[in-house]
Amino acid sequence: MLLLHGLGATGDVWDGLTGLLGRTAWTVPDLPGHGGSPRLPGYTYAAVADAVAGLVDPRGTVIIGHSFGGVIGL
């Protein structure tokens, strides 16, 4: 699973859910410019999506996004 937070938040918003996922494989990045992640030179939906694209396993990844993270996931 790839969990993407909303605009202005960090991956910490998923702490309650990740505790319930147990041994399920999950990744919770801070999107660019949020939390500990570096900024991008320019922000578009495509640029942010490209920044996290390497976290998607081509064999199958469930993407869960909240608000802005949902748009990026799409």
Side-chain angles (χ1 to χ4, degrees), residues 12-41:
D12 293 341
V13 301
W14 297 106
D15 285 351
L17 178 61
T18 57
L20 297 173
L21 292 175
R23 297 179 62 167
T24 302
W26 48 267
T27 301
V28 183
D30 284 338
L31 293 173
H34 295 75
S37 290
R39 296 179 179 266
L40 294 174

Side-chain angles (χ1 to χ4, degrees), residues 23-71:
R23 297 179 62 167
T24 302
W26 48 267
T27 301
V28 183
D30 284 338
L31 293 173
H34 295 75
S37 290
R39 296 179 179 266
L40 294 174
Y43 283 88
T44 63
Y45 293 122
V48 178
D50 286 345
V52 298
L55 300 174
V56 176
D57 185 335
R59 296 170 294 170
T61 299
V62 173
I63 301 173
I64 300 171
H66 172 258
S67 190
F68 179 67
V71 174

